[in-house]
Amino acid sequence: MSAPTTYLPGHFEERDLETLQALVEAHPLATWATTQDGELVVHHVPFRLDRTRGPFGTLVGHVARANPVWQSPQPSVLVFGGPQAYVSPGWYASKPLHGKVVPTWNYAVVHARGTPVVLEDAASVLRIVSALTDTHEARQAHPWQVGDAPPAFVEQMLRAIVGIEIPIEQLVGKWKVSQNRSADDRAGVAAGLRAQDPADPMAALVAPPSP
């Protein structure tokens, strides 16, 4: 695997592929950074992860035909942001012992690197849209399907977009979740986060609750 796409101390690196892919699936809106006419540009696009294609999977989505990002695909980095939270130094058990503590910010993110492949034919675009819809409608009591809309309307909408597939060439995970603190400090951070929100997902990453 090539060098990471971000500053990444070893104790914050997450290498488990299942864990990385799970975050992408749970937080599918990507911050997509690439270049266009020599300039750095950023887009925000939801992607579905197809785990079955490639060693790290393939990202599948679509963009508006009016968006020039698809016209000259360039190597890209897509950032998927997971749980994040401010950490108060007042939560550390070590604060009353020596006071040598400062605020920080915890977060879990995945960086996916790859070069987009553009799909313009109607069948491929319909396949992509249908799969995205089925994925995100699955939790609805009465899932909406593409076929629920009038065929002429669907055809009109499909002409306005292009499909994007990005075979992932590199998948990097940064889990900054207080691994550099003592067990007592981590417990204090988790308790502080849960005091604000009992269901805070960052608390579970810092110090999973006892079974």
Side-chain angles (χ1 to χ4, degrees), residues 85-92 102-106 176 178 189 193 202 206:
Y86 171 76
V87 175
S88 169
W91 295 340
Y92 292 137
V102 294
T104 192
W105 209 284
N106 278 1
K176 183 178 178 295
S178 300
V189 171
L193 291 169
M202 177 53 67
V206 172

Side-chain angles (χ1 to χ4, degrees), residues 183-198:
D184 287 344
D185 278 356
R186 292 197 302 272
V189 171
L193 291 169
R194 291 189 177 109
Q196 297 177 152
D197 177 2

